[in-house]
Amino acid sequence: MKRKTIAAATIGLALVGGTAPAEASTVAVNAPCYIQGAPVTASGTGFTASGPINFSFDGQLAAGGTADTAGNFTQPLTAPLLSGNAFQHTYTLTAQDLTTASAVATTNVTVTKQAASVSPHRAKPSRKVKFGVHGMPPGGVLYLHYVFHGKQRFLRKLGKAKAPCGTLTVKKRFFPVRRPAVGTWTFQFDNRKKYSKHTLPRIAGPVTIFNTFK
């Protein structure tokens, strides 16, 4: 009886001490959102020791790297440039082991432009339009400075930029007055109540006011 008990215990120990399955490959990035063209740091585990790895965004090769002797990597990348009129896009980042085809990992990488938009872009000053702001610090209060001939004429609080990419969409009157001065204004979006053309980060662009005749 003792021998059977010992034998059973030995079998149990043999099963517990069996070979562990291979570690699954992983890849991750160091931020929830990036401005296009900004540096991205990717890190991963579970790749061939000292083996080559390719990195791609939505299937487009972005860089090549090498795992360390433990099969891990830290790889510098660059956030892709958005195409056309897109303000934001979530890419699939793929890390592909070139030695072991099954060693592949993916993660999402969200990229945005630092830009502002007004829709419609042509309207009466008193009409409500949709302001869109992208790529500003998440959680920060956004202000719109109406600047004419280098001086702030009006200030408007728009709201807080939302995570992860610092975006805000809000409807407001195009101008806070019905008849702003005719000419080229500068709209500057930033996080400070006091206007300065040197404020960072900022988004600034021209808006032209002109007279129309019936």
Side-chain angles (χ1 to χ4, degrees):
M1 294 297 291
K2 289 183 179 180
R3 290 181 180 177
K4 290 182 180 179
T5 302
I6 293 171
T10 302
I11 291 172
L13 289 173
L15 291 173
V16 172
T19 303
E23 181 184 356
S25 302
T26 68
V27 61
V29 291
N30 63 328
C33 186
Y34 299 88
I35 304 295
Q36 61 175 357
V40 177
T41 300
S43 57
T45 62
F47 290 81
T48 301
S50 304
I53 305 170
N54 273 352
F55 301 89
S56 60
F57 289 101
D58 283 358
Q60 298 296 313
L61 182 64
T66 305
D68 62 20
T69 55
N72 306 323
F73 67 81
T74 299
Q75 176 69 33
L77 301 169
T78 301
L81 299 180
L82 297 174
S83 59
N85 296 322
F87 287 106
Q88 185 173 313
H89 178 71
T90 298
Y91 292 86
T92 298
L93 170 63
T94 301
Q96 176 63 65
D97 191 312
L98 298 184
T99 304
T100 306
S102 60
V104 58
T106 62
T107 192
N108 290 335
V109 178
T110 302
V111 178
T112 189
K113 288 179 180 177
Q114 193 171 67
S117 62
V118 180
S119 180
H121 67 276
R122 185 182 177 119
K124 292 181 179 180
S126 59
R127 179 179 171 180
K128 279 192 173 184
V129 296
K130 183 169 68 175
F131 292 98
V133 185
H134 312 265
M136 296 297 283
V141 176
L142 286 170
Y143 296 93
L144 169 54
H145 304 270
Y146 293 79
V147 181
F148 192 66
H149 290 172
K151 294 184 179 181
Q152 177 178 289
R153 308 296 177 171
F154 311 108
L155 173 67
R156 172 173 279 163
K157 180 180 178 180
L158 297 180
K160 288 187 177 182
K162 296 181 179 179
C165 291
T167 56
L168 174 68
T169 301
V170 63
K171 281 191 174 182
K172 300 280 188 181
R173 285 177 57 173
F174 204 164
F175 274 76
V177 294
R178 294 182 63 85
R179 295 183 181 275
V182 174
T184 300
W185 291 68
T186 295
F187 279 17
Q188 179 167 307
F189 303 82
D190 61 41
N191 300 117
R192 299 186 63 183
K193 285 185 178 181
K194 185 177 180 180
Y195 167 71
S196 170
K197 64 180 180 180
H198 302 296
T199 296
L200 292 175
R202 70 180 183 275
I203 301 169
V207 174
T208 302
I209 298 294
F210 53 90
N211 286 322
T212 58
F213 300 91
K214 292 183 178 180

